Amino acid sequence: MSTITAPSNPEADPRVKAVFDDIRTTRKTDFINNMWRYLAFDPALLEQTWAEVKRVMATPSSLDPLTKEMVYITASIINGCSYCVHSHTAAATAKGMTREQHAELLAIVALAAKTNQLATALQVPVDPEFQKGGA
């Protein structure tokens, strides 16, 4: 259950409509997902969040779009965000992620969780070679 009520007509606010129109244009779809609809309760927060998402996820960079989505899935799993796991898995699938790639991603996430916990439990010292400026 949400902690707020989504606005019933969010695009009545011109700031929200401008963001929604930009989302539609950038993503080449008419679909505005619930994340944006709920963020519309605060137009300033909506604008800020969309600007950052657009800059990081939708602007061409050294990482390809599928890799960005797979990294986002990983962070969403780690942060326990069911909504983002679902939305970014759908986005990654739309960008070409195969079932095999998804399975491999989940195996890597599970392995990292295990080895991270072991390293934390054992308090393994970081090798000087792994530290910036190390030998």
Side-chain angles (χ1 to χ4, degrees):
M1 173 182 276
S2 177
T3 60
I4 61 147
T5 302
S8 60
N9 184 17
E11 293 188 67
D13 184 312
R15 291 171 68 187
V16 172
K17 180 167 179 15
V19 172
F20 283 13
D21 286 345
D22 193 36
I23 291 170
R24 289 181 184 106
T25 300
T26 301
R27 294 184 168 172
K28 298 177 178 63
T29 181
D30 286 334
F31 179 64
I32 301 295
N33 65 42
N34 278 341
M35 182 68 171
W36 304 116
R37 292 185 180 286
Y38 276 74
L39 280 175
F41 89 100
D42 181 343
L45 181 60
L46 173 69
E47 290 168 337
Q48 293 167 345
T49 305
W50 170 243
E52 191 170 3
V53 168
K54 184 177 177 180
R55 180 179 56 78
V56 173
M57 297 300 290
T59 301
S61 69
S62 59
L63 293 177
D64 66 89
L66 177 55
T67 299
K68 289 181 181 185
E69 293 297 344
M70 293 173 78
V71 170
Y72 214 115
I73 292 167
T74 302
S76 300
I77 292 167
I78 292 165
N79 289 320
C81 182
S82 178
Y83 185 87
C84 291
V85 168
H86 283 277
S87 67
H88 289 278
T89 299
T93 301
K95 289 176 173 62
M97 180 177 71
T98 65
R99 290 174 54 92
E100 292 79 15
Q101 288 173 315
H102 191 207
E104 186 173 356
L105 173 66
L106 296 179
I108 293 166
V109 169
L111 177 61
K114 178 181 180 174
T115 58
N116 289 176
Q117 289 174 345
L118 289 170
T120 299
L122 297 171
Q123 291 296 291
V124 177
V126 176
D127 300 83
E129 293 82 1
F130 298 157
Q131 297 180 23
K132 186 174 181 171

